[in-house]
Amino acid sequence: MTPLWLIPVLPLLGSAFNGFFGKRAGKGVVSAVAVGTVALSFILSLVAFFAMQGAAGHRLEATYYEWMATGGLSVPFGLVVDPLSGTMMLVITGIGALIHLYSVGYMHEDEGYARFFCYLNLFVFFMLMLVMGSSLPLLFVGWEGVGLCSYLLIGFYFETDYAPAAGLKAFLFNRVGDLGVAIGMMALFGMFGTLTVSGILTQAGHLSPEAGWGLLTFATLMLFVGATGKSAQIPLYLWLPDAMAGPTPVSALIHAATMVTSGIYLICRLAPLFSLTPHTLTVIAWVGGATALFAATIGLVQRDIKKVLAYSTVSQLGYMFLGLGSAGYAAGFFHVFTHAWFKALLFLGAGSVIHAMHHEQDLFRMGGLKSKLPITFVTMLLATIAIMGFPPFSGFFSKDEILYLAYLKNPALWAIGVLGACCTSFYMWRLMALAFWGEPRDHHAFEHAHESPWTMTAPLAVLAVGAVFAGFWGIPKAFGGSFAIEGFLAPALTFGQSHGAHAGHHEGPAWLLAGISTTLGIASGAFGWWMYKDGLAKGEALGAKLPGLHVVLLNKYFVDEAVEAYLLRPVRWFGNLMWKLVDVILIDGIGVNLPGALTRVAGDFTALFQTGRVRNYALTMGLGALLLLYVFLK
Amino acid sequence: MSTMTFLMLAATFLPLLGALGLLAVPKENRRAFEVGAVAITIVSFLMSVPFWFDALGMAGEMHKVQWAWAVDWIPSMGVKFSVGMDGISLILWLLTTFLGPIGAACSWGNIDERHKEYYVWLLVLQTSMLGVFIVQDMFVFYVFWEIMLVPMYFLIGIWGGPQKLYAAIKLFLYTLGGSVLMLVAILAIYFLQHTATGTYDFSIASFQAMASTIAQQSHTFQILIALAFFVGFAIKVPMFPFHTWLPDAHVQAPTAGSVILAGILLKMGTYGFLRFMLPIVPNATKELLPWFVALSIIGIIYGALVAMIQKDMKKLVAYSSVSHLGLCMLGMFAFNPNAMKGALFQMVNHGISTPGLFLAVSVVYERRHTRMIADYGGLSKTMPVYATIFMIMTMSSIGLPGLNGFIGEFAILAGTFQTWPWAAVLATTGIILGAAYMLWMYQRVMFGPINAVNAEMADLNTREILVFAPLVVAAFWLGLYPKPLMTLLEAPVAKLVEQVSPGYHAAARLAEVQAKAAATGMRGMEAPPEAHGAAAGEGHAVAAPEGHAAPAAGAKAPEHGGH
């Protein structure tokens, strides 16, 4: 059997090597170690993946030692490969290896070359721990570990002011979510007395769905809070757009393809548990739907090419949660899979554009790059068609299945989803038109623009193949397919129980729904392209007609400002008040220093009588004697 | 006296003997004192290492006092010089020997005057702290407990910062006040014991055996004893609102002073709670528990909020201690094995990460002579090794999984959740804020543009790396393989929980048997046909949570648990 531990450990070794020796070893060695370890991991993951399909119950498990043990809580250090984690492993190491290769070109001139790959390899390690961990605490190690790497990589350009600030923001928003996971784990431990995934799910299989707002609903809701942090959903989504301060390959790997989907992964991992809590599922569906539309509307007006893609990611993650909340675990996860291809491709393509334009990220200063960057253009075009949901590109199948399930849950959710999809089409075609069509708006940068080296274009090409064809893994039943991915994931999603995955009642006007959403999507895409293909004039005119809306969208609904004004400032103010009032004035001032001062004053006062002069003593003695005489003789 | 007992005494008193030896060296030989102090503490540490393995070999027996030995000191008063350690004393004793060399070695860079006295006091302090953890007699315990204060007073008062006298006197008066209250409680029990048994005995075991007699005394008496212990130890921990001596002491103390203060001295308070208050007056403690839990929670959140707005790095770390120790206390007051083990684990963690953070502050202080966050920025650029170690210590402090801090925090929260769910949820606020203030400080010091003055700063030298190395190794080791330490704590914590809540384990075992029975029923039910399975499943669905709820119920109402 494949030594499973080797799969995460290889990138860890690569990270350690590059961290300790990278600076002396030179860029060639660093690249070879970084790309090589992840590629090896990919090969081993493939071996494990196929071994898993032959294994009993489609599950490979290896336990190495007892990690935590206190009283009733015993957590083994174990790794699991099943259809769910196996797919994620392939995505992480496969797309990860491509992005590592891409980074060799993209980061070539950076001073912190070794440091970058040290962090990036470390990220792959933690991400693999997250998906392979056999217990929730081990998953949590990966969960917080990827948060750390994300923090380090967002703040990679640490000599700037904005990048470390964005990193801190990401870490703290994630921390809020992480504590949700921690509380959820505690509640589950209280209920089940174990924290291994298999232990929890085995016991959960004997429970009946919880009708009210009980402990199980509380636990799953807390886990979902964690998911909103990691996967950037309302209300914890604010960090992701700022996270674009990191190098572009990081945005592609961490903030598009892998880490941000771990919230969906967590819910899929515990799918039978979530199926027991219908209230939680409803919350998930609405939060996901709301995020999908909300973030898409912000994406409509952004000028920074990476910010558009960031809001697009938040929005697409919303679709995944919408799918999960509609009990379509397989559908949600399917979208994780297809999204990993086309969104990683879009980010890498954007990176290629930025690279060509000498670190220009402003769409309003691009234009006409079609001829200069042919490979980037074609691959990004394919990804755009995939994300807008044009059949039979990958995004069509996964998004359509989600929208269909949302319709079955509540037609209002479907409508929200379709509206979001229209926005998606619009902003993507706007982005493409602004970058590749029209006249160059910055002639100097345009003159110097050139196609990227093969290390960057080759990954684009490979990802483009995936972006086009990945959808064929799950052609929905309504279109004559078998939704193969659902059957494939079933062992993991149902865990041998009947009510795990989506029940599969396919009723409803599937063709009609798909027709409406696709037609509207194409129309909005065409509109976006037409608006911006000749430059900014038409867009500006439209913005001027709707000034209120434009300002609100441009400022992202002023949420950041509200958080600063109503949360952060009061907390700092309160901390300051507590310190000054309670510590300095009350405890130290009145409680400690005042008695001290009073003692001193009393001492000083009585010391007045101890003058050391005989005549003073004689005087007081005399006065005292007189007083006594008066008292007695009276 | 067995060899191990001799070794224990030797490791404890070696620093004192070394201090006496150093007195004979002329005071000009600065290097002799520096090397001497480090060498002596390292030998003492090496002598203590065998106890770790010896204890692991008999982990099941570590609730009893091991390596015990006693000799009469003042027979008429029942005072014996008796020594020995159980699992709880052992880990704190080991933490002390472990931090000793670090404290001595980190002083090389920042002590510029009166070297002889400094290292002599440091070594005396070391022996007095080690002594506190090995003695098994109340009287001798009190002697060590008080002696400890003297060297610390001089370390801060002579080698401290600009307001050293204020800080030293404040520390002294605060802790002395607490000690005196503790002494009153000790004497009250001592005389009660004489009334009850007719003998005079100062042994800790006999004090703990008084628990049932005390429980028969008047309500007021019990509450007063509990409060005397509480205030005495709460000052040392320090818990809100007795904490204001700590930031002053930390800010003014030389680095070694801060390291030892944070690493060991604060643990004296928590140790006192575990050793005396909980076993001797469990009933009164339980009665006052809501107040104690509330104070712990306030400490966690308050400490974090105040830490957030500090401009002085040392003060920030000092307030973070208030917050972290609040979490320890919360775990202790949850009164169940998970949380208590977590609390003990967290004591060790705090003794690793907080000294590490103080050392990190001192590194930049020695180079620039300022501790103000605003004076720094962008240091990652010129000090990459320092940046990495500082980051590891920061992460250890905020409880990143894979490092030590996480294990303790998680065990505390998981255990507390079983007894006080809302307290656990509130405590998590402190953990979010913890990440906020630590990383915000790190960002302002290490990231951003660098200015000309800071650009000259040199990275860590070999000595500094060696000082940090043991802390970094310990942080990873305890985070990745916490099992040995947890194993050592198993038996003593089980005993402690039993002392506090008699019948706890019987109730827990009963619950386990019930749960197992329920599980067996479940397994049988997979075979039968659908309808039958569904019907049976409903019944078990109700049974299983009941079984698991039992331990919590046992903790709250121990008298229902069978003996």
Side-chain angles (χ1 to χ4, degrees), chain A residues 52-109:
Chain A
M52 172 271 291
Q53 288 188 302
H58 292 268
R59 187 181 167 84
L60 291 179
E61 183 160 3
T63 303
Y64 298 103
Y65 68 92
E66 193 177 30
W67 177 42
M68 255 198 262
T70 110
L73 175 65
S74 164
V75 181
F77 194 97
L79 302 175
V80 169
V81 181
D82 66 356
L84 197 59
S85 63
T87 311
M88 284 300 281
M89 282 159 63
L90 291 182
V91 170
I92 295 160
T93 53
I95 294 184
L98 288 175
I99 293 176
H100 273 70
L101 180 64
Y102 177 93
S103 309
V104 170
Y106 189 85
M107 299 299 293
H108 196 74
E109 284 156 22

Side-chain angles (χ1 to χ4, degrees), chain A residues 28 36 72 104 189 193 201 268 326 390 436 440 453 580 600:
Chain A
V104 170
F189 175 64
L201 293 187
C268 287
S326 312
F390 188 83
F436 294 105
K580 295 268 165 64
R600 176 170 297 185

Side-chain angles (χ1 to χ4, degrees), chain B residues 41-55:
Chain B
T41 45
I42 286 182
V43 172
S44 163
F45 170 67
L46 291 177
M47 288 162 95
S48 72
V49 171
F51 289 87
W52 171 259
F53 297 101
D54 203 28

Side-chain angles (χ1 to χ4, degrees), chain A residues 9-362:
Chain A
V9 164
L10 274 171
L12 180 65
L13 290 177
S15 166
F17 177 85
N18 282 338
F20 285 119
F21 311 111
K23 241 181 189 165
R24 267 157 285 165
K27 287 185 180 170
V29 180
V30 170
S31 329
V33 169
V35 182
T37 48
V38 180
L40 265 177
S41 264
F42 175 65
I43 293 167
L44 288 176
S45 301
L46 269 180
V47 174
F49 187 79
F50 287 113
M52 172 271 291
Q53 288 188 302
H58 292 268
R59 187 181 167 84
L60 291 179
E61 183 160 3
T63 303
Y64 298 103
Y65 68 92
E66 193 177 30
W67 177 42
M68 255 198 262
T70 110
L73 175 65
S74 164
V75 181
F77 194 97
L79 302 175
V80 169
V81 181
D82 66 356
L84 197 59
S85 63
T87 311
M88 284 300 281
M89 282 159 63
L90 291 182
V91 170
I92 295 160
T93 53
I95 294 184
L98 288 175
I99 293 176
H100 273 70
L101 180 64
Y102 177 93
S103 309
V104 170
Y106 189 85
M107 299 299 293
H108 196 74
E109 284 156 22
D110 203 284
E111 260 182 73
Y113 193 75
R115 184 165 60 93
F116 177 81
F117 280 107
C118 168
Y119 295 163
L120 207 60
N121 271 8
L122 190 65
F123 168 78
V124 174
F125 162 73
F126 278 124
M127 194 66 212
L128 286 168
M129 291 305 296
L130 194 163
V131 298
M132 295 175 78
S134 68
S135 60
L136 291 182
L138 204 57
L139 182 150
F140 195 62
V141 170
W143 186 273
E144 290 240 293
V146 291
L148 169 69
C149 295
S150 160
Y151 164 76
L152 292 170
L153 283 164
I154 294 169
F156 182 76
Y157 301 119
F158 66 80
E159 287 164 74
T160 62
D161 280 322
Y162 60 92
L168 182 65
K169 188 172 174 184
F171 196 97
L172 292 182
F173 272 89
N174 271 296
R175 192 78 177 175
V176 176
D178 294 352
L179 281 162
V181 179
I183 295 173
M185 278 200 281
M186 286 177 234
L188 290 179
F189 175 64
M191 271 186 287
F192 298 114
T194 175
L195 280 176
T196 59
V197 173
S198 54
I200 291 173
L201 293 187
T202 310
Q203 293 194 36
H206 305 294
L207 301 176
S208 42
E210 196 171 79
W213 297 89
L215 189 55
L216 195 59
T217 306
F218 172 75
T220 48
L221 270 178
M222 282 296 130
L223 293 175
F224 175 60
V225 169
T228 60
K230 206 51 104 200
S231 297
Q233 296 296 292
I234 293 173
L236 298 179
Y237 72 96
L238 284 165
W239 65 272
L240 187 58
D242 285 34
M244 297 301 125
T248 307
V250 171
S251 313
L253 179 60
I254 301 184
H255 305 120
T258 54
M259 184 187 87
V260 289
T261 61
S262 37
I264 293 103
Y265 175 79
L266 175 69
I267 292 175
C268 287
R269 181 87 283 175
L270 296 172
L273 207 61
F274 279 83
S275 295
L276 294 174
T277 55
H279 283 326
T280 308
L281 286 182
T282 306
V283 171
I284 294 176
W286 281 99
V287 169
T291 311
L293 178 59
F294 179 79
T297 56
I298 301 178
L300 294 174
V301 297
Q302 294 301 310
R303 286 178 64 161
D304 183 324
I305 185 169
K306 284 181 74 181
K307 284 269 162 80
V308 177
L309 293 177
Y311 281 104
S312 163
T313 305
V314 175
S315 163
Q316 294 297 312
L317 292 164
Y319 281 105
M320 297 171 202
F321 282 101
L322 178 58
L324 298 181
S326 312
Y329 303 107
F333 190 73
F334 187 32
H335 202 53
V336 169
F337 181 71
T338 55
H339 179 257
W341 294 98
F342 60 69
K343 188 50 71 60
L345 173 52
L346 284 171
F347 267 113
L348 294 188
S352 178
V353 171
I354 295 166
H355 190 70
M357 297 286 289
H358 293 279
H359 298 281
E360 179 60 73
Q361 303 197 7
D362 188 350

Side-chain angles (χ1 to χ4, degrees), chain A residues 303 364 430 434 441 531-532 535-547 550:
Chain A
R303 286 178 64 161
F364 286 11
R430 169 179 175 269
L434 282 173
R441 284 177 287 275
M531 287 280 290
Y532 289 95
L536 306 170
K538 277 183 257 178
E540 277 166 3
L542 185 64
K545 267 186 206 154
L546 304 163
H550 192 245

